[in-house]
Amino acid sequence: MEKTLEDIQTYLCWYNQVYGSDLYIDGELSAVNLAVEPDQQIRAVNLSSSKAQQQIIDQFSPELKQFYDQIHTCQKCDLGKTRKHFVFGAGNPNADIMFIGEAPGRDEDEQGIPFVGRAGKLLDKMLAAIGLHRSDIFIANVLKCRPPQNRDPLPDEILHCEPYLKKQLEIIQPKVLVALGRIAGQVLLKRTDSLSVLRQEPLLYEKTPLIVTYHPAALLRNPQWKQNAWIDLKKIKKIT
Ligand code: URA
């Protein structure tokens, strides 16, 4: 019985990560709220985070899954020694839009899933504001492992990890890229400009349109930037 309950909790957590709290029946848009209290969800995620992560990975295309299998034990830099989970990415492997963050934080390291902490909750709201849901996008980070105390990624960490992101882009082939924050933008573009410069320009990553906008964690710290973030969100909406 305990095992069955745990399986149900794991499934609901996985479902919640992928589809949010709306329950879709037979693909219809008649949404029924799962009515699971947020802290219950968090407790359940913590119960079996590796299982929830595995269920996300099981939804990947064979190519993406094979790539995950190849790299998830990476020890190319010291972050491999301190991480709890390798945070590969999550979402729709056939997505036209890919969001790219900086690196996992504490919650992401605990659960193995990107953007599940406070910044992730804000990201969900930002997506909803332009009619998108996690299940419409793929989301990954420049670094797959958490830097201690959430410090900025070091150059050698980026050097080792960026090829993983490039390969993900090659497999997923998104039509639009959204870099969340200065670091993701700088890494993709190989530029050192500030976020305020990068977010004003029409940009391409190789041949793919790229929008650089605020990292949701920065928006939590600086709510006065939300108005500009909305301008960027409208750009995403327009282009997709
Ligand atoms: N910040 C990021 O850049 N990525 C995450 O996955 C979480 C927080």
Side-chain angles (χ1 to χ4, degrees):
M1 181 67 177
E2 216 170 81
K3 175 86 181 69
T4 312
L5 274 178
E6 201 192 313
D7 282 349
I8 294 170
Q9 273 178 326
T10 306
Y11 175 75
L12 287 176
C13 287
W14 165 80
Y15 191 99
N16 184 253
Q17 296 299 343
V18 178
Y19 298 107
S21 58
D22 291 340
L23 180 61
Y24 295 101
I25 299 167
D26 290 337
E28 291 297 319
L29 287 181
S30 60
V32 181
N33 201 289
L34 282 179
V36 179
E37 290 300 317
D39 53 335
Q40 254 179 295
Q41 292 169 12
I42 290 163
R43 241 184 294 131
V45 165
N46 288 341
L47 252 185
S48 47
S49 56
S50 295
K51 271 200 194 170
Q53 186 196 38
Q54 190 56 47
Q55 281 176 321
I56 285 177
I57 290 154
D58 288 344
Q59 305 300 309
F60 289 168
S61 63
E63 200 182 357
L64 202 58
K65 189 169 176 331
Q66 190 184 23
F67 185 51
Y68 168 82
D69 290 340
Q70 281 167 13
I71 65 170
H72 77 283
T73 52
C74 177
Q75 290 293 341
K76 286 189 181 165
C77 76
D78 284 347
L79 300 184
K81 294 188 191 120
T82 51
R83 69 164 176 247
K84 288 190 180 151
H85 282 99
F86 183 91
V87 184
F88 180 82
N92 182 345
N94 301 309
D96 284 342
I97 316 174
M98 187 156 157
F99 280 67
I100 298 164
E102 181 180 316
R106 193 190 51 195
D107 295 310
E108 292 75 23
D109 185 41
E110 288 285 344
Q111 299 179 33
I113 301 167
F115 285 96
V116 287
R118 276 186 74 222
K121 301 286 173 273
L122 178 57
L123 179 63
D124 288 342
K125 288 185 192 156
M126 291 160 71
L127 290 174
I130 50 168
L132 290 175
H133 191 269
R134 292 260 186 151
S135 54
D136 300 314
I137 65 163
F138 195 88
I139 187 155
N141 286 303
V142 172
L143 295 191
K144 310 301 187 215
C145 301
R146 181 192 182 200
Q149 277 78 49
N150 300 345
R151 61 155 168 71
D152 283 356
L154 300 175
D156 81 296
E157 293 162 357
I158 294 173
L159 197 75
H160 286 116
C161 223
E162 197 192 351
Y164 296 157
L165 178 62
K166 282 187 169 243
K167 182 72 182 173
Q168 288 177 309
L169 291 167
E170 206 182 297
I171 296 171
I172 297 167
Q173 298 201 339
K175 296 192 174 67
V176 177
L177 288 173
V178 180
L180 295 170
R182 172 183 60 87
I183 292 188
Q186 289 178 338
V187 169
L188 287 169
L189 292 161
K190 302 280 168 278
R191 286 172 55 170
T192 53
D193 302 271
S194 67
L195 180 84
S196 54
V197 169
L198 296 178
R199 58 173 287 276
Q200 309 267 3
E201 288 183 34
L203 300 161
L204 289 177
Y205 169 80
E206 296 179 353
K207 288 184 183 149
T208 308
L210 165 66
I211 292 167
V212 182
T213 187
Y214 299 90
H215 192 289
L219 291 175
L220 286 172
R221 289 190 301 268
N222 302 280
Q224 73 276 16
W225 293 343
K226 281 191 188 164
Q227 208 170 343
N228 279 343
W230 176 235
I231 295 173
D232 299 344
L233 285 173
K234 284 193 286 187
K235 282 191 237 163
I236 301 170
K237 174 98 186 135
K238 198 166 165 200
I239 203 172
T240 52

